[in-house]
Amino acid sequence: MGSMTRLYIRCENESFLATIRARYPEAHIEAPSLFASTVVEPAERFTPSDGERNSHELNTEIIYLAFSSVTDSLQFTHSMHGKTLRHIQYGMYVEQGLWEEVAGGSEPWETPAFFPPSSMEVLADCRPDDPDYERLSEIYGQRLIRASESYPMIDARESARAVAKHYRLTDWLDDWNGIDRDEATGPPPVSPQVLASIAPVVKPWWRFW
């Protein structure tokens, strides 16, 4: 089991890390990641407007990532220079097992996270004369994430891990550092020489696995 609530801020040099720390004193970064990490209190709901404001004020890219493996809840909010690129919220505040909010275009990490080959068993178990068959065929056939839907059901921790591997996030170094470059789809990592001395590698409290 595990849970986390983190704000990731794209940071490509030490001077900008100082700017980030002026706002978030506990922010840290693990080379060769491009994203500084800071804790966000779970009780404080993070909205797309918050992402837009922060990314505008810092003039950079921001990712808010929160999950709980106990309730299989997940939130991913991706903002850049004052605009929301993607926002998805599953079982966070309204109802467990429900896609509560969906905005922006889908991202490459979503298909392997939400629609792995094993997910097709849902459709295989549904008879063609079932009232839900057409709806499920559309969701799984077109890889759709829609608000107010309960499908696709997800594994929140593994979905968060998919985000972390795609964007090479701090706090998840063991999951993506050293993977084959051809398998990586996120931003290229910053040179270790640039950021190696910025902060030590710290295992966060929520890493239970």
mmCIF file with all atom_site columns, all heavy atoms in Angstrom, residues 75-91:
data_model
loop_
_atom_site.group_PDB
_atom_site.id
_atom_site.type_symbol
_atom_site.label_atom_id
_atom_site.label_alt_id
_atom_site.label_comp_id
_atom_site.label_asym_id
_atom_site.label_entity_id
_atom_site.label_seq_id
_atom_site.pdbx_PDB_ins_code
_atom_site.Cartn_x
_atom_site.Cartn_y
_atom_site.Cartn_z
_atom_site.occupancy
_atom_site.B_iso_or_equiv
_atom_site.pdbx_formal_charge
_atom_site.auth_seq_id
_atom_site.auth_comp_id
_atom_site.auth_asym_id
_atom_site.auth_atom_id
_atom_site.pdbx_PDB_model_num
ATOM 1   N N   . GLN A 1 75 ? -5.037  11.584 -9.110  1.00 0.00 ? 75 GLN A N   1
ATOM 2   C CA  . GLN A 1 75 ? -5.195  12.868 -9.784  1.00 0.00 ? 75 GLN A CA  1
ATOM 3   C C   . GLN A 1 75 ? -3.898  13.219 -10.489 1.00 0.00 ? 75 GLN A C   1
ATOM 4   O O   . GLN A 1 75 ? -2.805  13.115 -9.928  1.00 0.00 ? 75 GLN A O   1
ATOM 5   C CB  . GLN A 1 75 ? -5.564  14.006 -8.823  1.00 0.00 ? 75 GLN A CB  1
ATOM 6   C CG  . GLN A 1 75 ? -5.748  15.347 -9.557  1.00 0.00 ? 75 GLN A CG  1
ATOM 7   C CD  . GLN A 1 75 ? -6.207  16.472 -8.667  1.00 0.00 ? 75 GLN A CD  1
ATOM 8   O OE1 . GLN A 1 75 ? -6.794  16.236 -7.605  1.00 0.00 ? 75 GLN A OE1 1
ATOM 9   N NE2 . GLN A 1 75 ? -5.959  17.705 -9.069  1.00 0.00 ? 75 GLN A NE2 1
ATOM 10  N N   . PHE A 1 76 ? -4.027  13.634 -11.736 1.00 0.00 ? 76 PHE A N   1
ATOM 11  C CA  . PHE A 1 76 ? -2.904  14.093 -12.537 1.00 0.00 ? 76 PHE A CA  1
ATOM 12  C C   . PHE A 1 76 ? -3.319  15.412 -13.171 1.00 0.00 ? 76 PHE A C   1
ATOM 13  O O   . PHE A 1 76 ? -4.319  15.468 -13.898 1.00 0.00 ? 76 PHE A O   1
ATOM 14  C CB  . PHE A 1 76 ? -2.565  13.069 -13.626 1.00 0.00 ? 76 PHE A CB  1
ATOM 15  C CG  . PHE A 1 76 ? -1.569  13.550 -14.658 1.00 0.00 ? 76 PHE A CG  1
ATOM 16  C CD1 . PHE A 1 76 ? -0.217  13.560 -14.390 1.00 0.00 ? 76 PHE A CD1 1
ATOM 17  C CD2 . PHE A 1 76 ? -2.003  13.987 -15.897 1.00 0.00 ? 76 PHE A CD2 1
ATOM 18  C CE1 . PHE A 1 76 ? 0.700   13.989 -15.347 1.00 0.00 ? 76 PHE A CE1 1
ATOM 19  C CE2 . PHE A 1 76 ? -1.110  14.425 -16.866 1.00 0.00 ? 76 PHE A CE2 1
ATOM 20  C CZ  . PHE A 1 76 ? 0.258   14.417 -16.591 1.00 0.00 ? 76 PHE A CZ  1
ATOM 21  N N   . THR A 1 77 ? -2.602  16.471 -12.851 1.00 0.00 ? 77 THR A N   1
ATOM 22  C CA  . THR A 1 77 ? -2.884  17.789 -13.422 1.00 0.00 ? 77 THR A CA  1
ATOM 23  C C   . THR A 1 77 ? -1.594  18.326 -14.013 1.00 0.00 ? 77 THR A C   1
ATOM 24  O O   . THR A 1 77 ? -0.604  18.517 -13.298 1.00 0.00 ? 77 THR A O   1
ATOM 25  C CB  . THR A 1 77 ? -3.423  18.759 -12.358 1.00 0.00 ? 77 THR A CB  1
ATOM 26  O OG1 . THR A 1 77 ? -4.594  18.201 -11.758 1.00 0.00 ? 77 THR A OG1 1
ATOM 27  C CG2 . THR A 1 77 ? -3.785  20.103 -12.978 1.00 0.00 ? 77 THR A CG2 1
ATOM 28  N N   . HIS A 1 78 ? -1.589  18.550 -15.316 1.00 0.00 ? 78 HIS A N   1
ATOM 29  C CA  . HIS A 1 78 ? -0.391  18.944 -16.055 1.00 0.00 ? 78 HIS A CA  1
ATOM 30  C C   . HIS A 1 78 ? -0.616  20.333 -16.644 1.00 0.00 ? 78 HIS A C   1
ATOM 31  O O   . HIS A 1 78 ? -1.534  20.541 -17.446 1.00 0.00 ? 78 HIS A O   1
ATOM 32  C CB  . HIS A 1 78 ? -0.139  17.922 -17.175 1.00 0.00 ? 78 HIS A CB  1
ATOM 33  C CG  . HIS A 1 78 ? 1.139   18.132 -17.913 1.00 0.00 ? 78 HIS A CG  1
ATOM 34  N ND1 . HIS A 1 78 ? 1.413   17.490 -19.104 1.00 0.00 ? 78 HIS A ND1 1
ATOM 35  C CD2 . HIS A 1 78 ? 2.229   18.902 -17.646 1.00 0.00 ? 78 HIS A CD2 1
ATOM 36  C CE1 . HIS A 1 78 ? 2.602   17.848 -19.532 1.00 0.00 ? 78 HIS A CE1 1
ATOM 37  N NE2 . HIS A 1 78 ? 3.118   18.715 -18.675 1.00 0.00 ? 78 HIS A NE2 1
ATOM 38  N N   . SER A 1 79 ? 0.213   21.275 -16.223 1.00 0.00 ? 79 SER A N   1
ATOM 39  C CA  . SER A 1 79 ? 0.057   22.663 -16.653 1.00 0.00 ? 79 SER A CA  1
ATOM 40  C C   . SER A 1 79 ? 1.377   23.195 -17.190 1.00 0.00 ? 79 SER A C   1
ATOM 41  O O   . SER A 1 79 ? 2.451   22.783 -16.738 1.00 0.00 ? 79 SER A O   1
ATOM 42  C CB  . SER A 1 79 ? -0.385  23.549 -15.475 1.00 0.00 ? 79 SER A CB  1
ATOM 43  O OG  . SER A 1 79 ? -1.464  22.979 -14.781 1.00 0.00 ? 79 SER A OG  1
ATOM 44  N N   . MET A 1 80 ? 1.273   24.122 -18.136 1.00 0.00 ? 80 MET A N   1
ATOM 45  C CA  . MET A 1 80 ? 2.483   24.727 -18.693 1.00 0.00 ? 80 MET A CA  1
ATOM 46  C C   . MET A 1 80 ? 2.215   26.182 -19.072 1.00 0.00 ? 80 MET A C   1
ATOM 47  O O   . MET A 1 80 ? 1.266   26.468 -19.810 1.00 0.00 ? 80 MET A O   1
ATOM 48  C CB  . MET A 1 80 ? 2.974   23.946 -19.916 1.00 0.00 ? 80 MET A CB  1
ATOM 49  C CG  . MET A 1 80 ? 4.322   24.441 -20.459 1.00 0.00 ? 80 MET A CG  1
ATOM 50  S SD  . MET A 1 80 ? 4.883   23.530 -21.923 1.00 0.00 ? 80 MET A SD  1
ATOM 51  C CE  . MET A 1 80 ? 5.177   21.912 -21.248 1.00 0.00 ? 80 MET A CE  1
ATOM 52  N N   . HIS A 1 81 ? 3.015   27.067 -18.526 1.00 0.00 ? 81 HIS A N   1
ATOM 53  C CA  . HIS A 1 81 ? 2.953   28.488 -18.850 1.00 0.00 ? 81 HIS A CA  1
ATOM 54  C C   . HIS A 1 81 ? 1.522   29.037 -18.778 1.00 0.00 ? 81 HIS A C   1
ATOM 55  O O   . HIS A 1 81 ? 1.072   29.766 -19.668 1.00 0.00 ? 81 HIS A O   1
ATOM 56  C CB  . HIS A 1 81 ? 3.538   28.746 -20.231 1.00 0.00 ? 81 HIS A CB  1
ATOM 57  C CG  . HIS A 1 81 ? 4.943   28.235 -20.394 1.00 0.00 ? 81 HIS A CG  1
ATOM 58  N ND1 . HIS A 1 81 ? 5.981   28.590 -19.550 1.00 0.00 ? 81 HIS A ND1 1
ATOM 59  C CD2 . HIS A 1 81 ? 5.474   27.360 -21.285 1.00 0.00 ? 81 HIS A CD2 1
ATOM 60  C CE1 . HIS A 1 81 ? 7.089   27.980 -19.934 1.00 0.00 ? 81 HIS A CE1 1
ATOM 61  N NE2 . HIS A 1 81 ? 6.813   27.219 -20.973 1.00 0.00 ? 81 HIS A NE2 1
ATOM 62  N N   . GLY A 1 82 ? 0.801   28.663 -17.738 1.00 0.00 ? 82 GLY A N   1
ATOM 63  C CA  . GLY A 1 82 ? -0.525  29.217 -17.512 1.00 0.00 ? 82 GLY A CA  1
ATOM 64  C C   . GLY A 1 82 ? -1.665  28.493 -18.187 1.00 0.00 ? 82 GLY A C   1
ATOM 65  O O   . GLY A 1 82 ? -2.807  28.952 -18.133 1.00 0.00 ? 82 GLY A O   1
ATOM 66  N N   . LYS A 1 83 ? -1.403  27.355 -18.809 1.00 0.00 ? 83 LYS A N   1
ATOM 67  C CA  . LYS A 1 83 ? -2.453  26.602 -19.492 1.00 0.00 ? 83 LYS A CA  1
ATOM 68  C C   . LYS A 1 83 ? -2.512  25.161 -18.972 1.00 0.00 ? 83 LYS A C   1
ATOM 69  O O   . LYS A 1 83 ? -1.486  24.552 -18.683 1.00 0.00 ? 83 LYS A O   1
ATOM 70  C CB  . LYS A 1 83 ? -2.222  26.597 -21.001 1.00 0.00 ? 83 LYS A CB  1
ATOM 71  C CG  . LYS A 1 83 ? -2.319  27.974 -21.637 1.00 0.00 ? 83 LYS A CG  1
ATOM 72  C CD  . LYS A 1 83 ? -2.158  27.895 -23.153 1.00 0.00 ? 83 LYS A CD  1
ATOM 73  C CE  . LYS A 1 83 ? -2.295  29.271 -23.788 1.00 0.00 ? 83 LYS A CE  1
ATOM 74  N NZ  . LYS A 1 83 ? -2.154  29.211 -25.271 1.00 0.00 ? 83 LYS A NZ  1
ATOM 75  N N   . THR A 1 84 ? -3.721  24.626 -18.882 1.00 0.00 ? 84 THR A N   1
ATOM 76  C CA  . THR A 1 84 ? -3.901  23.233 -18.494 1.00 0.00 ? 84 THR A CA  1
ATOM 77  C C   . THR A 1 84 ? -3.770  22.358 -19.731 1.00 0.00 ? 84 THR A C   1
ATOM 78  O O   . THR A 1 84 ? -4.512  22.517 -20.702 1.00 0.00 ? 84 THR A O   1
ATOM 79  C CB  . THR A 1 84 ? -5.282  22.999 -17.861 1.00 0.00 ? 84 THR A CB  1
ATOM 80  O OG1 . THR A 1 84 ? -5.389  23.775 -16.659 1.00 0.00 ? 84 THR A OG1 1
ATOM 81  C CG2 . THR A 1 84 ? -5.490  21.530 -17.522 1.00 0.00 ? 84 THR A CG2 1
ATOM 82  N N   . LEU A 1 85 ? -2.818  21.432 -19.705 1.00 0.00 ? 85 LEU A N   1
ATOM 83  C CA  . LEU A 1 85 ? -2.640  20.510 -20.810 1.00 0.00 ? 85 LEU A CA  1
ATOM 84  C C   . LEU A 1 85 ? -3.485  19.246 -20.617 1.00 0.00 ? 85 LEU A C   1
ATOM 85  O O   . LEU A 1 85 ? -4.066  18.729 -21.566 1.00 0.00 ? 85 LEU A O   1
ATOM 86  C CB  . LEU A 1 85 ? -1.165  20.125 -20.945 1.00 0.00 ? 85 LEU A CB  1
ATOM 87  C CG  . LEU A 1 85 ? -0.177  21.280 -21.160 1.00 0.00 ? 85 LEU A CG  1
ATOM 88  C CD1 . LEU A 1 85 ? 1.234   20.735 -21.312 1.00 0.00 ? 85 LEU A CD1 1
ATOM 89  C CD2 . LEU A 1 85 ? -0.579  22.101 -22.382 1.00 0.00 ? 85 LEU A CD2 1
ATOM 90  N N   . ARG A 1 86 ? -3.541  18.769 -19.372 1.00 0.00 ? 86 ARG A N   1
ATOM 91  C CA  . ARG A 1 86 ? -4.308  17.574 -19.065 1.00 0.00 ? 86 ARG A CA  1
ATOM 92  C C   . ARG A 1 86 ? -4.673  17.566 -17.583 1.00 0.00 ? 86 ARG A C   1
ATOM 93  O O   . ARG A 1 86 ? -3.852  17.910 -16.738 1.00 0.00 ? 86 ARG A O   1
ATOM 94  C CB  . ARG A 1 86 ? -3.497  16.325 -19.397 1.00 0.00 ? 86 ARG A CB  1
ATOM 95  C CG  . ARG A 1 86 ? -4.231  15.003 -19.215 1.00 0.00 ? 86 ARG A CG  1
ATOM 96  C CD  . ARG A 1 86 ? -5.457  14.884 -20.078 1.00 0.00 ? 86 ARG A CD  1
ATOM 97  N NE  . ARG A 1 86 ? -5.916  13.508 -20.257 1.00 0.00 ? 86 ARG A NE  1
ATOM 98  C CZ  . ARG A 1 86 ? -7.111  13.193 -20.754 1.00 0.00 ? 86 ARG A CZ  1
ATOM 99  N NH1 . ARG A 1 86 ? -7.978  14.145 -21.099 1.00 0.00 ? 86 ARG A NH1 1
ATOM 100 N NH2 . ARG A 1 86 ? -7.453  11.919 -20.911 1.00 0.00 ? 86 ARG A NH2 1
ATOM 101 N N   . HIS A 1 87 ? -5.896  17.181 -17.312 1.00 0.00 ? 87 HIS A N   1
ATOM 102 C CA  . HIS A 1 87 ? -6.361  17.060 -15.927 1.00 0.00 ? 87 HIS A CA  1
ATOM 103 C C   . HIS A 1 87 ? -7.305  15.875 -15.851 1.00 0.00 ? 87 HIS A C   1
ATOM 104 O O   . HIS A 1 87 ? -8.317  15.827 -16.555 1.00 0.00 ? 87 HIS A O   1
ATOM 105 C CB  . HIS A 1 87 ? -7.086  18.337 -15.483 1.00 0.00 ? 87 HIS A CB  1
ATOM 106 C CG  . HIS A 1 87 ? -7.804  18.193 -14.177 1.00 0.00 ? 87 HIS A CG  1
ATOM 107 N ND1 . HIS A 1 87 ? -7.143  18.030 -12.974 1.00 0.00 ? 87 HIS A ND1 1
ATOM 108 C CD2 . HIS A 1 87 ? -9.136  18.170 -13.883 1.00 0.00 ? 87 HIS A CD2 1
ATOM 109 C CE1 . HIS A 1 87 ? -8.031  17.924 -11.994 1.00 0.00 ? 87 HIS A CE1 1
ATOM 110 N NE2 . HIS A 1 87 ? -9.240  17.998 -12.518 1.00 0.00 ? 87 HIS A NE2 1
ATOM 111 N N   . ILE A 1 88 ? -6.934  14.884 -15.034 1.00 0.00 ? 88 ILE A N   1
ATOM 112 C CA  . ILE A 1 88 ? -7.814  13.742 -14.806 1.00 0.00 ? 88 ILE A CA  1
ATOM 113 C C   . ILE A 1 88 ? -7.880  13.468 -13.311 1.00 0.00 ? 88 ILE A C   1
ATOM 114 O O   . ILE A 1 88 ? -6.881  13.589 -12.602 1.00 0.00 ? 88 ILE A O   1
ATOM 115 C CB  . ILE A 1 88 ? -7.348  12.479 -15.567 1.00 0.00 ? 88 ILE A CB  1
ATOM 116 C CG1 . ILE A 1 88 ? -5.882  12.171 -15.289 1.00 0.00 ? 88 ILE A CG1 1
ATOM 117 C CG2 . ILE A 1 88 ? -7.596  12.609 -17.055 1.00 0.00 ? 88 ILE A CG2 1
ATOM 118 C CD1 . ILE A 1 88 ? -5.392  10.894 -15.945 1.00 0.00 ? 88 ILE A CD1 1
ATOM 119 N N   . GLN A 1 89 ? -9.056  13.105 -12.871 1.00 0.00 ? 89 GLN A N   1
ATOM 120 C CA  . GLN A 1 89 ? -9.305  12.894 -11.442 1.00 0.00 ? 89 GLN A CA  1
ATOM 121 C C   . GLN A 1 89 ? -10.206 11.679 -11.287 1.00 0.00 ? 89 GLN A C   1
ATOM 122 O O   . GLN A 1 89 ? -11.319 11.651 -11.812 1.00 0.00 ? 89 GLN A O   1
ATOM 123 C CB  . GLN A 1 89 ? -9.978  14.146 -10.886 1.00 0.00 ? 89 GLN A CB  1
ATOM 124 C CG  . GLN A 1 89 ? -10.212 14.174 -9.402  1.00 0.00 ? 89 GLN A CG  1
ATOM 125 C CD  . GLN A 1 89 ? -10.826 15.502 -8.999  1.00 0.00 ? 89 GLN A CD  1
ATOM 126 O OE1 . GLN A 1 89 ? -10.208 16.565 -9.148  1.00 0.00 ? 89 GLN A OE1 1
ATOM 127 N NE2 . GLN A 1 89 ? -12.045 15.463 -8.517  1.00 0.00 ? 89 GLN A NE2 1
ATOM 128 N N   . TYR A 1 90 ? -9.711  10.673 -10.575 1.00 0.00 ? 90 TYR A N   1
ATOM 129 C CA  . TYR A 1 90 ? -10.423 9.400  -10.444 1.00 0.00 ? 90 TYR A CA  1
ATOM 130 C C   . TYR A 1 90 ? -10.575 9.050  -8.965  1.00 0.00 ? 90 TYR A C   1
ATOM 131 O O   . TYR A 1 90 ? -9.585  8.852  -8.254  1.00 0.00 ? 90 TYR A O   1
ATOM 132 C CB  . TYR A 1 90 ? -9.643  8.302  -11.170 1.00 0.00 ? 90 TYR A CB  1
ATOM 133 C CG  . TYR A 1 90 ? -10.242 6.909  -11.101 1.00 0.00 ? 90 TYR A CG  1
ATOM 134 C CD1 . TYR A 1 90 ? -11.201 6.496  -12.026 1.00 0.00 ? 90 TYR A CD1 1
ATOM 135 C CD2 . TYR A 1 90 ? -9.838  5.999  -10.130 1.00 0.00 ? 90 TYR A CD2 1
ATOM 136 C CE1 . TYR A 1 90 ? -11.731 5.210  -11.986 1.00 0.00 ? 90 TYR A CE1 1
ATOM 137 C CE2 . TYR A 1 90 ? -10.369 4.712  -10.070 1.00 0.00 ? 90 TYR A CE2 1
ATOM 138 C CZ  . TYR A 1 90 ? -11.313 4.324  -11.004 1.00 0.00 ? 90 TYR A CZ  1
ATOM 139 O OH  . TYR A 1 90 ? -11.833 3.049  -10.957 1.00 0.00 ? 90 TYR A OH  1
ATOM 140 N N   . GLY A 1 91 ? -11.823 9.020  -8.490  1.00 0.00 ? 91 GLY A N   1
ATOM 141 C CA  . GLY A 1 91 ? -12.106 8.593  -7.128  1.00 0.00 ? 91 GLY A CA  1
ATOM 142 C C   . GLY A 1 91 ? -11.477 9.434  -6.040  1.00 0.00 ? 91 GLY A C   1
ATOM 143 O O   . GLY A 1 91 ? -11.224 8.927  -4.953  1.00 0.00 ? 91 GLY A O   1
#
